[in-house]
């Protein structure tokens, strides 16, 4: 027993050091610059461009469908950094961005604009914006949308005796379509107020500005059926596969894996919410020329189509869909036959209201 | 602090306060400088951030925000879940460590490996494993339903039960490793001696064994409480909105709203809670020391 006090002392000291861990983990994220993914000048004097994307399967698809062919065509090496938006923003504010080109949601780009963190775009250097016939609203002063994702409902085809839910009203109707539901948590995406309003009878073209009170009242009706508010992309698919729920909201692209596995699941694109993803250039980007080149390259319809063939993402250029095989096209929420069923999320409205709605959502959900 | 904790009388300490101590300070200098730069400075800048308004003026309204409304209830939730996790990981860890400490070295190492290995699996994969185990159509519920247990299937996920199962499993390696070390240090002859004096098993456990491992219990409990305070992935994946932890709010503020000041205030509150926990354990253990001394 003689060693016990020393051991305990050491342990307490260890515990004291650990005490600071939660706080550090919570606060330290953005204060330190990660130096692992270097964004400086390339090796051997060759030109490089550094691009930020969210990584994962999407990141791999980008490399295969866009970055590698781009390097082949131009000789410019593409370096990838999977940074959080907050990290990129902190770097730009320090005046030393690690990346030139930022692949992010248009909503996040708008937040960066508020912080004065993006280069104003010289559209003359983005020739393909015209040739790709991008819709006007996808071209802003600081960012251009290249693709979008759709958030829609998915359901188990074996759960309702052959009947198909057709609308958000059906999603809300727990008597006719029994079983648990799953909806998204603000950790993952914007609260699904639009779906609640559609279920409550609001017309799709009259959604914005959202009637928040009415939406939360409608959400209240489905609250009891929601077993889990999903906070990561694969979760709703997992819950459907395991029959934990019969219907869920889902990022449409995530369903492709389930179809491949033969899970009896189908998507309903009526009332789907579209959110756009695009490129912007970091203020003070060290490789401005190369950044414009990769930017312009990514907008080409055939490049957008190639990405869509690799990963279920929806090109922003209407011309791209002709270049996608019919089989793949029919699985995309952006295909011409589905497009009119959904609506675009109003970035402007959400920028103004996201914070307040998120806070109210948490209070509501904890109820 | 260490001196009072260990109960070392002050006299021999004063004898040491000579050249040796000064050389000791010299040796400690690099480490101190390292901690100052990489630990103390960031904490102070966080502190500063938490009392600054957006225009740079001093304010306490981030703290007022953090301590009212839904944020306050999240804070209480965090404390509650951390306490529950500490309790369960202590009890289960105690039983496991006790069993392992009686094993021969090889099986003991194997058992330890089984406790620690799940830690090397990513949190996401592990949580999906839990869905397969604990879901409505999961192994446990299927088994219970098959046995005809009334009330099955039970809701074991997306509520507090699910969260505590998940966080406790995360914490077990720490408590088991810690308690195992302490238990190996217990002199078994003391237990034998107590038995030879006619003490029953319960009395031996309560009067001899438990006091010997008590310091380890306190440390293990504190450690899991502190670690659980900062958890958020497991509670987010295995719980519902009612199990939102404060770290989740901090993450949201930084990542989604670019709101560093409010996040800093919540981080500071978390740090203070941790210190309060440390203080509590120190108080309890020094009380215990005092009691022991007055008894002898």
């Amino acid at each position: 027993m003689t060693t016990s006090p020393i051991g305990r002392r050491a342990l307490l000291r260890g515990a004291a050091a650990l005490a600071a861990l939660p706080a550090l983990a919570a606060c330290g994220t953005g204060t330190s610059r990660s130096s692992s993914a270097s964004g400086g000048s390339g090796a051997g004097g060759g030109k490089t461009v550094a691009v930020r994307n969210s990584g994962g399967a999407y990141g791999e698809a980008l490399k295969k469908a866009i970055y590698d062919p781009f390097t082949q065509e131009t000789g410019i090496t593409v370096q990838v950094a999977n940074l959080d938006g907050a990290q990129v923003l902190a770097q730009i504010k320090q005046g030393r961005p690690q990346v030139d080109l930022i692949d992010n949601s248009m909503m996040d780009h708008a937040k960066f604009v508020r912080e004065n963190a993006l280069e104003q775009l010289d559209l003359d250097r983005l020739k393909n914006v015209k040739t790709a016939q991008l819709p006007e609203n996808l071209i802003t002063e600081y960012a251009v949308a290249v693709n979008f994702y759709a958030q829609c409902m998915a359901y188990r085809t074996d759960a309702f005796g052959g009947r198909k839910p057709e609308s958000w009203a059906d999603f809300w109707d727990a008597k006719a379509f029994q079983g648990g539901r799953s909806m998204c948590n603000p950790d993952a995406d914007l609260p699904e107020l639009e779906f609640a309003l559609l279920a409550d009878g609001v017309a799709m073209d009259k959604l914005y500005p959202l009637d928040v009170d009415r939406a939360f009242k409608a959400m209240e009706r489905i609250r009891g059926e929601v077993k889990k508010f999903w906070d990561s992309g694969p979760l709703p698919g997992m819950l459907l596969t395991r029959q934990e729920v019969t219907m869920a909201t889902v990022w449409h692209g995530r369903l492709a894996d389930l179809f491949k596995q033969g899970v009896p699941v189908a998507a309903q694109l009526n009332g789907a919410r579209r959110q756009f993803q695009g490129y912007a250039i970091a203020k003070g980007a060290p490789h401005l020329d190369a950044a414009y080149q990769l930017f312009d390259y990514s907008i080409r319809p055939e490049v957008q189509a190639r990405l869509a063939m690799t990963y279920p993402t929806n090109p922003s250029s209407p011309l791209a869909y002709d270049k996608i095989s019919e089989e793949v096209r029919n699985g995309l929420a952006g295909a011409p036959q589905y497009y009119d069923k959904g609506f675009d999320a109003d970035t402007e409205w959400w920028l103004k209201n996201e914070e307040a709605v998120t806070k109210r959502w948490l209070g509501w959900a904890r109820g | 602090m260490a001196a009072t904790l260990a109960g070392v009388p002050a006299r021999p300490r004063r004898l040491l306060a000579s050249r040796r101590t000064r050389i000791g300070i010299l040796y400690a200098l690099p480490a101190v400088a390292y901690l100052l730069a990489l630990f103390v400075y960031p904490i102070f800048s966080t502190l500063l951030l938490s009392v600054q308004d957006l225009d740079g003026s001093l304010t306490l309204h981030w703290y007022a925000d953090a301590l009212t409304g839904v944020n306050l209830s999240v804070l209480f939730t965090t404390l509650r879940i951390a306490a529950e996790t500490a309790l369960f990981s202590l009890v289960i860890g105690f039983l496991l460590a006790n069993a392992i400490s009686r094993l021969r070295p090889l099986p003991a190492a194997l058992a330890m490996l089984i406790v620690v290995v799940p830690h090397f699996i990513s949190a996401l994969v592990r949580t999906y494993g839990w869905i397969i185990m604990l879901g409505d159509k999961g192994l446990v519920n299927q088994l219970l339903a098959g046995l005809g247990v009334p009330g099955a299937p039970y809701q074991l996920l997306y509520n507090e039960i699910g969260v505590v199962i998940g966080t406790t499993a995360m914490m077990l390696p720490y408590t088991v490793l810690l308690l195992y070390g302490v238990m190996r240090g217990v002199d078994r002859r003391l237990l034998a001696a107590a038995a030879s004096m006619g003490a029953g098993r319960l009395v031996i456990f309560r009067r001899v064994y438990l006091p010997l491992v008590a310091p380890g219990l306190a440390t293990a409990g504190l450690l899991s409480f502190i670690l659980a305070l900062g958890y958020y992935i497991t509670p987010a994946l295995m719980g519902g909105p009612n199990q939102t932890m404060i770290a989740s709010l901090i993450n949201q503020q930084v990542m989604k709203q670019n709101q560093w000041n409010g996040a800093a205030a919540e981080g500071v509150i978390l740090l203070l809670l941790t210190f309060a926990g440390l203080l509590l354990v120190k108080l309890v253990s020094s009380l215990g020391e005092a009691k022991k001394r007055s008894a002898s």
Side-chain angles (χ1 to χ4, degrees):
Chain A
M1 260 320 271
T2 48
T3 56
S4 155
I6 291 166
R8 188 185 49 187
R9 222 186 300 164
L11 285 174
L12 268 175
R13 228 176 291 138
L18 280 162
L21 271 182
L24 266 190
C27 312
T29 331
T31 50
S32 65
R33 255 171 73 93
S34 97
S35 54
S36 53
S38 80
S41 53
K47 282 168 84 179
T48 62
V49 58
V51 57
R52 179 270 166 193
N53 68 44
S54 52
Y58 178 60
E60 277 164 39
L62 284 169
K63 180 171 158 41
K64 209 171 123 198
I66 300 184
Y67 306 153
D68 285 350
F70 172 75
T71 305
Q72 245 172 21
E73 191 180 303
T74 61
I76 299 173
T77 320
V78 179
Q79 289 177 335
V80 180
N82 302 325
L83 301 168
D84 281 315
Q87 272 173 297
V88 180
L89 193 57
Q91 291 178 357
I92 295 174
K93 282 186 163 173
Q94 299 286 326
R96 294 190 308 162
Q98 183 187 332
V99 294
D100 307 295
L101 201 56
I102 306 169
D103 180 337
N104 211 346
S105 72
M106 291 301 271
M107 179 106 173
D108 281 331
H109 286 319
K111 287 180 189 171
F112 274 49
V113 171
R114 280 199 299 207
E115 305 284 334
N116 192 25
L118 297 180
E119 288 281 344
Q120 195 160 0
L121 293 178
D122 178 2
L123 286 180
D124 290 340
R125 298 171 85 170
L126 297 172
K127 299 263 184 281
N128 290 319
V129 167
K130 283 230 167 59
T131 50
Q133 294 179 12
L134 297 187
E136 277 297 310
N137 62 330
L138 302 186
I139 308 159
T140 69
E141 261 182 282
Y142 294 90
V144 173
V146 292
N147 56 51
F148 72 82
Y149 68 93
Q151 200 166 346
C152 66
M153 81 175 83
Y155 59 94
R156 279 196 71 95
T157 50
D158 56 0
F160 312 119
R163 277 174 315 131
K164 275 172 32 180
E166 297 287 346
S167 65
W168 288 111
D170 288 344
F171 188 94
W172 252 249
D173 189 347
K175 285 205 186 72
F177 296 94
Q178 293 196 340
R181 303 287 196 265
S182 179
M183 295 180 77
C184 96
N185 181 305
D187 275 345
D189 210 328
L190 300 171
E192 292 160 326
L193 301 188
E194 292 95 334
F195 301 161
L197 290 171
L198 289 173
D200 208 35
V202 177
M204 207 158 69
D205 53 349
K206 300 259 180 336
L207 278 172
Y208 298 99
L210 299 181
D211 183 342
V212 177
D213 290 332
R214 182 172 172 184
F216 273 105
K217 215 184 249 168
M219 300 262 283
E220 193 58 43
R221 294 209 313 269
I222 195 74
R223 174 71 185 89
E225 312 297 327
V226 179
K227 272 186 78 171
K228 172 69 182 169
F229 290 99
W230 54 270
D231 42 24
S232 66
L235 191 55
M238 177 78 184
L239 294 169
L240 284 165
T241 307
R242 296 289 311 169
Q243 290 179 277
E244 297 289 322
V245 300
T246 57
M247 256 197 265
T249 61
V250 62
W251 288 331
H252 182 258
R254 295 282 182 170
L255 291 173
D257 278 341
L258 301 195
F259 297 149
K260 248 180 251 164
Q261 290 161 24
V263 182
V265 163
Q268 174 56 266
L269 284 160
N270 283 337
R273 179 171 70 179
R274 288 187 291 262
Q275 289 188 72
F276 285 84
Q277 184 94 8
Y279 283 104
I281 297 176
K283 186 149 238 167
H287 311 101
L288 199 59
D289 275 332
Y292 267 113
Q293 281 187 54
L294 179 57
F295 197 151
D296 203 30
Y297 182 86
S298 306
I299 303 172
R300 284 188 203 168
E302 64 268 25
V303 176
Q304 289 195 15
R306 194 158 61 214
L307 180 63
M309 297 283 282
T310 319
Y311 185 84
T313 177
N314 306 284
S316 62
S317 164
L319 302 182
Y321 290 91
D322 297 337
K323 303 183 188 340
I324 302 172
S325 71
E326 195 180 340
E327 194 195 343
V328 173
R329 188 170 60 225
N330 287 339
L332 294 179
Q337 69 265 36
Y338 302 127
Y339 199 82
D340 291 337
K341 298 182 171 197
F343 63 92
D344 292 353
D346 185 338
T347 314
E348 285 298 313
W349 190 88
W350 275 111
L351 274 174
K352 280 193 215 98
N353 296 285
E354 182 189 7
E355 203 174 324
V357 169
T358 303
K359 197 164 181 189
R360 179 159 174 189
W361 185 93
L362 187 61
W364 165 79
R366 287 170 72 85
Chain B
M1 167 183 142
T4 44
L5 263 181
V8 178
R11 216 167 352 108
R13 241 189 103 219
R14 208 173 301 145
L15 287 176
L16 282 174
S18 59
R19 239 185 89 225
R20 271 177 71 187
T21 328
R22 266 174 266 140
I23 291 174
I25 291 174
L26 198 68
Y27 281 143
L29 215 60
V32 170
Y34 178 85
L35 283 177
L36 276 178
L38 294 173
F39 194 73
V40 177
Y41 168 69
I43 283 187
F44 270 94
S45 52
T46 303
L47 208 61
L48 192 67
L49 211 55
S50 74
V51 293
Q52 258 176 354
D53 214 339
L54 294 175
D55 55 9
S57 58
L58 290 184
T59 175
L60 283 176
H61 87 251
W62 303 115
Y63 286 96
D65 266 4
L67 295 172
T68 49
V70 78
N71 291 344
L72 183 67
S73 81
V74 167
L75 192 61
F76 282 128
T77 305
T78 307
L79 286 174
R80 189 182 67 227
I81 289 177
E84 286 163 357
T85 304
L87 183 71
F88 282 104
S89 54
L90 207 55
V91 171
I92 299 172
F94 185 91
L95 295 175
L96 265 176
N98 191 282
I100 293 174
S101 71
R102 287 156 194 269
L103 291 174
R104 287 164 190 284
L106 196 66
L110 208 68
M112 212 54 125
L113 204 67
I114 293 172
V115 173
V116 176
V117 154
H119 244 236
F120 298 125
I121 303 168
S122 93
L124 218 58
V125 172
R126 199 174 19 190
T127 330
Y128 288 148
W130 283 121
I131 295 179
I132 293 168
M133 283 283 288
L134 302 174
D136 278 3
K137 300 266 158 72
L139 272 176
V140 171
N141 272 322
Q142 297 281 32
L143 195 72
L144 291 177
L147 292 172
V149 177
Y154 297 103
Q155 174 89 35
L156 300 174
L157 275 179
Y158 313 129
N159 53 18
E160 196 125 340
I161 299 173
V163 172
V164 173
I165 290 175
T167 49
T168 301
M170 289 288 293
M171 223 47 88
L172 272 185
Y174 298 105
T175 49
V176 170
L177 281 171
L178 231 157
L179 291 175
Y180 177 74
V182 175
M183 284 170 178
R184 293 288 290 188
V186 170
D187 191 342
R188 293 261 151 202
R189 285 173 305 180
L190 290 174
L191 310 185
S196 76
M197 310 285 256
R201 291 181 63 162
L202 204 68
V203 175
I204 296 177
F205 179 78
R206 198 166 55 82
R207 300 284 301 274
V208 183
Y209 192 66
L210 211 52
L212 285 176
V213 298
L217 280 175
T219 314
L222 177 73
L223 183 71
S224 32
F225 178 76
I226 289 172
L227 284 177
L229 275 181
Y231 262 33
Y232 97 91
I233 293 178
T234 306
L237 287 170
M238 298 184 72
N242 283 321
Q243 284 75 42
T244 307
M245 304 277 276
I246 190 167
S248 185
L249 285 189
I250 295 176
N251 179 60
Q252 245 180 34
Q253 291 194 44
V254 171
M255 294 302 173
K256 299 246 154 162
Q257 289 149 19
N258 192 36
Q259 179 39 268
W260 289 80
N261 306 79
E266 278 169 0
V268 170
I269 290 172
L270 206 51
L271 188 69
L272 290 180
L273 284 176
T274 312
F275 283 147
L278 277 171
L279 203 69
L280 193 75
V281 168
K282 184 183 174 237
L283 220 67
V284 169
S285 59
S286 53
L287 268 180
E289 293 284 344
K291 212 173 114 194
K292 217 184 280 171
R293 223 171 299 145
S294 67
S296 60

